[in-house]
Amino acid sequence: MRAIKALNINSHKKDLSPEQREDLLGALKARFEKNMNRHKGLEWAKVQAKLEVSAEKLWSLNEMERTGGEPDVVGHDKKTGEYIFFDCSAESPKGRRSVCYDREALESRREHKPQDNAVDMAAAMALSF
């Protein structure tokens, strides 16, 4: 099992410390303000309010950030009220390279075996797709 920086993985609790939450929200706000073309008509205060009540979603976004990604808001689902985040990094984040699609593909590789698979990584980050 891989170590996750500043999280107690034995507890299986997907929650961030107050300092981690503050750092993550600061990074997300800065990215939001820098890339307004991705989310025209959306207000950061509303996005932040929604995130602050969802520890698991913050944890997932932190996992994206921790592995070198650049999560940013790209839309708002008016029916559910949910904000839609994508990883907007220019290239595959360093922490998520050398992967194949799923465990079956990983186990079938004999040579040049990838380090991990995308399905398991997404599940570990509590992401849905």
Side-chain angles (χ1 to χ4, degrees):
M1 194 174 260
R2 282 186 227 128
I4 298 175
K5 183 172 91 176
L7 290 177
N8 180 357
I9 60 174
N10 294 327
S11 71
H12 299 293
K13 188 175 181 185
K14 294 179 175 158
D15 204 2
L16 303 175
S17 71
E19 183 179 284
Q20 287 174 308
R21 289 170 65 95
E22 185 179 323
D23 289 347
L24 176 62
L25 287 169
L28 293 172
K29 180 180 181 184
R31 190 170 296 123
F32 183 92
E33 291 172 347
K34 183 179 177 184
N35 300 287
M36 293 301 293
N37 59 312
R38 293 181 186 155
H39 32 256
K40 291 180 178 159
L42 298 182
E43 298 174 36
W44 173 251
K46 291 180 179 179
V47 174
Q48 182 173 343
K50 189 84 169 174
L51 287 173
E52 286 179 338
V53 297
S54 181
E56 189 167 305
K57 289 181 182 175
L58 276 175
W59 188 84
S60 294
L61 290 169
N62 192 66
E63 284 296 283
M64 291 172 72
E65 190 82 29
R66 183 187 65 79
T67 58
E70 297 178 12
D72 197 7
V73 182
V74 296
H76 181 245
D77 185 328
K78 293 184 190 310
K79 287 184 182 179
T80 65
E82 296 290 320
Y83 288 96
I84 302 162
F85 283 79
F86 284 173
D87 187 335
C88 296
S89 58
E91 57 186 43
S92 295
K94 192 170 189 170
R96 290 186 257 143
R97 293 184 187 159
S98 185
V99 298
C100 58
Y101 178 70
D102 61 9
R103 179 145 309 274
E104 182 181 348
L106 181 64
E107 291 173 0
S108 71
R109 296 284 294 270
R110 303 257 185 253
E111 290 184 48
H112 311 293
K113 194 168 190 148
Q115 294 175 358
D116 209 342
N117 73 82
V119 171
D120 287 353
M121 289 176 78
M125 291 182 190
L127 302 172
S128 59
F129 57 99

